[in-house]
Amino acid sequence: MTLVLDQTTVRLDGKRLFQPLALTVAPGEIVALMGPSGRGKSSLLMGLCGGLRPPLALEGDVRLGGRSLRGVPLERRRLGVLFQDPLLFPHLTVAENLAFALPRQHRDRRVRIDAALERAELQGFGERRPSTLSGGQAARVALLRALLAEPQALLLDEPFAKLDAPLRRRVRAFVATMIADARLPCLLVTHDRADAQDLGARVVELGGEGEERTRTGR
Amino acid sequence: MPPFAVWPPLTLAVLVVPVVGGLIGTVLPAFGYLPALGLTTLSLEGWRGLALVPGLAWSVLLSVWVALASTLISFCLALAFVAATTTAPRTAWLRRLVSPVLAAPHVGVAIGLAFLLAPSGLFVRLLSPWLTGFTQPPAWLVPGDPWGLSLLFGLVVKETPFLVLMLLAAQAGLDAERRVLVARSLGYGPLRAWHQTVLPAVYPSLRWPIMAVLAYGFSPVDMALVLGPSVPPILAVRVVELMGDPSLARWPIGAAAALLLLALAVLTMALWRLAERPVSAVALARARRGPGATSPLPWRGLALVLPTAVTLTALLGLAAMALWSIAGRWRFPDPWPDTLRLDGWQQLQGPLGHSLFVTAGLAAIVAGTALVLTILCLEAETYRRRPLPRRVLFWLFLPLVVPQAAFLFGVQVVLVGVRLDGTLGGVALVQLAFVLPYTFLALAGSWRGLDPRWRLTAASLGQGPWRVLWRVKLPLLAAPIATAFAIGFAVSVALYLPTLFAGGGRVRTLALEAVALAGADRRSAGVVVTLLALLPLLGFLFAAAVRLRVERR
């Protein structure tokens, strides 16, 4: 399964925020999109989720495993998304958060959830409330949850930005292993070069467009 | 089609059909067209009849005076109170006082005030005979003074808390404290700092509430029957009297009076809007002159004390009525009953118990329906590419900004036409139009403010729109949802005129019982007022319990 961005960019009131991207992300590959803030990195990710509202709009085609995502509701795009915040549902326990993502046809729900927790070294955390987890634990549960939904690609929006430095390295390592195991194409948005390096990501710079280039080209 | 897209138009229909149908059902009879009475030719008979009604001019003046003055005074008191509690340290708790008054139905507050102000009322009792020398109640015409001052006071007492709450909601996202701090560091006194830096930002979102207060001021029939002048009464009371006249020939006159009321309200609202520009220009000119010397007078103290006193008066009135409900013998000028007894409450085994049951059941059904429609509309909005257009807001608030007396007669005509008059279903439908705007107002802010990433996260995990709503958004927003329900419940309990007209007097809610008992028997009135004040509080207790649960997780 590959993720293809075909001449994709974000428009603000009709003006392109960055030069259209032509990008193919192979299974197991991580591409880090980098660029100055305000260039539209996060908006691009929002656009891939179908979450942009006017005056912002996504331009160009996005294909996952050959099928176009245009017009497909997010719940059928099979894109896993991780934001800066783990966004674990506070009214559900850790295990319930995971069960929330696990497709219904699986009968061995307990087994799968326990196995997932074990991989993240979070055995016995199933009955905990998300509010009782540390930042690193919550980040790991959020990744487990995204993967349990069996996505075909993964989008990461600066998922390590809110973790402190030593923790960030450990969570990064965990994310790298999980992505490699799942063999998913993965698009990462960040402005921390260490994120890209530690994850072994291919770096793609977002190029400015028109006015943007002259203003940010100092 | 985006998910939930059918619900906003459906909801608007629920709101608009009664109001527009009601207006049409008022306009046609006013010009002589009422097939039910065999009137099918257009004529101005109704208007001629209206011109002959004795004391009509005074009723008109009284209506405009009461509506405009009560709105202006409530607005000023609310501004003063919010400015003072925002800037004075350790006074924010005073804001909690306004909630129970807001929750208590108009007629309950009115009956409480009537007892405080009456010649045989609590205020005179507390001062007699040691100060006044009265051993018999004096022959004052209060409440019911010909200038409508008692009614005016009652409206101010009831509308100030509403505007306070609207102001607080509007300034919540503005970091008002810091704005004021900046202005004060530039040399402005606290109240001026608030007026110059916060008010301009919150006023636009206050327009609809002010218009609603004005509209209500033109049609406070329940309060006017308790507090108001009676000969001649305000115009809205006249409309109700004419419509209730057994000789149906008076209906065209009543419809004309209703239209006159509507015209007066629209003109007054237009006047208010026209005055906004010069007033804000004056304020802006003051801002350009920069900070001057701060006033040595204790304005902020006054701004705290006056609204608080008004609020406490309302609470005292309600408490006094609760005392009446258990009073045995309570002679003038004793400030306290001689004996206490509970037999007033035994009326609950009779028709009063039935009214309580009808009121609570109706309120639960109407608030629940309004809440479901509100949620579906707001959820439809999250899937739209753009927010709902402004004209939708206009239709949403329409039932609140048209004086009730101006179109409810027409609603009755329509309900008779579809054979829903006098039924619980008909009352519920009409109440819904008045409750929905409030549940929408109460919930919209929190709903729109929810981080969209919650929805996107849930959808990216493979959950469809209904499951995202059910499993994620409802639990995350449980606290504001419960509050919106409580507000809708309180509004429904308080509705007098819509219930009277739609129910044709056959659906007896507590608000109707209260007006009927107000002049008659203080003990029974005490029981009804206590129930009226407590019932909405139950809703808010429920909301508080939900909030506690949410906060604990």
Side-chain angles (χ1 to χ4, degrees):
Chain A
M1 212 63 78
T2 48
L3 177 67
V4 179
L5 274 61
D6 190 358
Q7 297 301 314
T8 308
T9 184
V10 175
R11 282 172 174 270
L12 173 63
D13 280 327
K15 263 185 283 182
R16 288 172 176 167
L17 289 183
F18 50 86
Q19 289 171 350
L21 279 170
L23 192 63
T24 303
V25 191
E29 185 187 20
I30 303 179
V31 169
L33 289 175
M34 307 206 53
S37 47
R39 182 58 61 79
K41 301 187 297 285
S42 292
S43 299
L44 173 62
L45 238 55
M46 261 313 196
L48 296 183
C49 297
L52 287 183
R53 293 281 177 277
L56 289 166
L58 190 74
E59 179 189 309
D61 197 20
V62 180
R63 290 188 298 276
L64 182 54
R67 68 191 169 101
S68 170
L69 296 185
R70 185 161 284 277
V72 178
L74 179 55
E75 65 268 22
R76 290 206 292 272
R77 289 191 181 197
R78 313 219 37 196
L79 287 172
V81 189
L82 282 184
F83 294 104
Q84 272 186 27
D85 304 286
L87 297 171
L88 299 177
F89 303 121
H91 54 285
L92 303 178
T93 63
V94 169
E96 285 165 346
N97 263 283
L98 297 178
F100 184 81
L102 191 61
R104 215 174 272 185
Q105 72 263 22
H106 296 302
R107 291 275 149 238
D108 48 347
R109 307 183 75 78
R110 277 300 286 270
V111 179
R112 280 170 187 264
I113 289 165
D114 286 343
L117 285 171
E118 199 164 329
R119 287 194 66 188
E121 292 168 12
L122 288 170
Q123 301 95 319
F125 277 67
E127 298 314 308
R128 296 269 290 265
R129 289 274 160 190
S131 56
T132 66
L133 300 184
S134 71
Q137 289 165 344
R140 279 181 280 161
V141 174
L143 178 65
L144 292 178
R145 186 177 65 173
L147 291 175
L148 277 178
E150 300 171 0
Q152 296 176 343
L154 209 54
L155 307 176
L156 310 178
D157 186 2
E158 307 214 23
F160 315 114
K162 290 198 174 162
L163 303 173
D164 55 32
L167 196 58
R168 197 179 306 169
R169 212 161 302 134
R170 290 205 346 244
V171 174
R172 260 192 219 127
F174 175 69
V175 170
T177 347
M178 296 291 281
I179 292 173
D181 286 1
R183 293 202 49 75
L184 293 173
C186 173
L187 206 56
L188 166 76
V189 155
T190 181
H191 48 238
D192 184 353
R193 232 160 246 288
D195 278 354
Q197 275 166 11
D198 282 16
L199 290 172
R202 166 158 69 102
V203 174
V204 173
E205 294 278 349
L206 284 189
E209 178 85 6
E211 288 173 23
E212 283 292 316
R213 186 183 333 203
T214 47
R215 204 175 48 155
T216 52
R218 283 168 294 168
Chain B
M1 199 161 70
F4 305 104
V6 291
W7 293 100
L10 209 74
T11 307
L12 280 188
V14 166
L15 288 171
V16 170
V17 167
V19 183
V20 172
L23 285 175
I24 295 172
T26 308
V27 170
L28 293 181
F31 292 97
Y33 184 83
L34 192 59
L37 295 187
L39 300 174
T40 50
T41 48
L42 294 188
S43 79
L44 292 176
E45 280 305 313
W47 294 93
R48 273 188 220 112
L50 181 63
L52 294 176
V53 169
L56 181 77
W58 184 250
S59 286
V60 167
L61 281 179
L62 208 54
S63 279
V64 176
W65 150 248
V66 166
L68 199 56
S70 68
T71 307
L72 206 59
I73 296 172
S74 311
F75 180 58
C76 291
L77 284 179
L79 288 187
F81 186 68
V82 172
T85 52
T86 304
T87 59
R90 289 187 298 282
T91 51
W93 65 273
L94 280 174
R95 293 168 178 172
R96 288 193 199 154
L97 283 179
V98 305
S99 301
V101 180
L102 190 70
H106 285 86
V107 60
V109 171
I111 292 174
L113 287 180
F115 173 57
L116 295 185
L117 299 174
S120 63
L122 194 63
F123 285 161
V124 174
R125 285 168 191 251
L126 288 174
L127 302 176
S128 302
W130 57 275
L131 183 67
T132 60
F134 296 148
T135 50
Q136 290 293 312
W140 295 342
L141 205 55
V142 173
D145 60 290
W147 297 282
L149 293 178
S150 316
L151 175 60
L152 183 61
F153 183 57
L155 278 168
V156 167
V157 161
K158 194 63 186 84
E159 302 298 0
T160 306
F162 172 64
L163 290 175
V164 164
L165 225 70
M166 291 290 129
L167 265 171
L168 288 176
Q171 80 165 26
L174 284 174
D175 205 355
E177 282 84 359
R178 279 231 292 255
R179 281 183 189 229
V180 167
L181 224 59
V182 169
R184 291 183 72 177
S185 75
L186 299 173
Y188 288 89
L191 291 189
R192 255 194 88 191
W194 188 88
H195 283 131
Q196 293 284 2
T197 62
V198 183
L199 182 57
V202 295
Y203 186 77
S205 44
L206 221 61
R207 269 201 196 103
W208 282 109
I210 288 173
M211 293 302 133
V213 170
L214 257 178
Y216 190 81
F218 271 100
S219 189
V221 173
D222 47 356
M223 292 191 106
L225 289 176
V226 177
L227 291 171
S230 43
V231 217
I234 58 167
L235 190 57
V237 173
R238 286 236 145 127
V239 173
V240 176
E241 282 171 3
L242 287 165
M243 298 301 188
D245 198 304
S247 94
L248 303 180
R250 313 261 298 164
W251 276 16
I253 303 178
L259 273 194
L260 178 61
L261 184 71
L262 178 64
L264 289 174
V266 170
L267 278 177
T268 313
M269 287 177 197
L271 195 73
W272 184 287
R273 290 299 304 265
L274 279 178
E276 282 173 4
R277 202 174 279 267
V279 170
S280 65
V282 169
L284 204 62
R286 281 189 66 177
R288 286 208 199 88
R289 281 204 301 272
T294 51
S295 168
L297 295 171
W299 285 114
R300 188 165 63 175
L302 201 66
L304 279 175
V305 168
L306 220 55
T308 309
V310 164
T311 307
L312 284 178
T313 309
L315 291 178
L316 183 65
L318 292 173
M321 290 318 287
L323 184 58
W324 254 119
S325 77
I326 52 168
R329 206 169 52 161
W330 192 356
R331 284 175 310 190
F332 189 86
D334 298 346
W336 192 260
D338 292 344
T339 53
L340 298 179
R341 45 183 236 241
L342 284 172
D343 38 338
W345 286 92
Q346 280 167 7
Q347 297 179 65
L348 278 181
Q349 292 163 353
L352 206 55
H354 185 249
S355 289
L356 174 62
F357 181 71
V358 168
T359 309
L362 203 56
I365 290 169
V366 170
T369 312
L371 193 61
V372 170
L373 289 174
T374 299
I375 288 173
L376 291 172
C377 282
L378 286 167
E379 194 56 1
E381 193 188 48
T382 59
Y383 286 96
R384 281 172 58 95
R385 287 167 45 78
R386 292 160 201 281
L388 291 173
R390 288 175 63 86
R391 60 171 191 280
V392 172
L393 277 190
F394 171 80
W395 290 110
L396 183 66
F397 291 124
L398 193 63
L400 301 189
V401 297
V402 178
Q404 296 175 357
F407 71 101
L408 280 171
F409 167 69
V411 169
Q412 201 177 17
V413 172
V414 173
L415 284 180
V416 171
V418 294
R419 293 166 183 252
L420 275 175
D421 62 308
T423 63
L424 271 175
V427 176
L429 266 178
V430 174
Q431 283 203 351
L432 192 57
F434 293 93
V435 171
L436 229 162
Y438 285 105
T439 50
F440 192 90
L441 268 179
L443 197 53
S446 324
W447 203 275
R448 291 173 178 151
L450 187 73
D451 190 336
R453 297 179 309 169
W454 287 113
R455 172 174 70 84
L456 293 175
T457 301
S460 80
L461 298 173
Q463 311 289 337
W466 282 96
R467 277 176 59 87
V468 171
L469 173 62
W470 187 252
R471 302 265 327 256
V472 177
K473 295 194 96 171
L474 293 188
L476 284 175
L477 291 164
I481 288 172
T483 306
F485 176 80
I487 289 173
F489 189 86
V491 171
S492 165
V493 169
L495 286 175
Y496 171 76
L497 219 43
T499 314
L500 180 69
F501 271 98
R506 269 166 285 168
V507 178
R508 307 289 304 171
T509 61
L510 288 175
L512 267 62
E513 301 289 355
V515 171
L517 288 170
D521 161 20
R522 275 197 180 137
R523 190 167 298 109
S524 302
V527 173
V528 178
V529 169
T530 309
L531 288 173
L532 271 175
L534 286 183
L535 208 49
L537 280 187
L538 282 183
F540 286 101
L541 271 180
F542 161 74
V546 170
R547 194 163 49 242
L548 266 182
R549 252 198 84 121
V550 169
E551 276 164 9
R552 206 175 290 158
R553 68 184 174 216

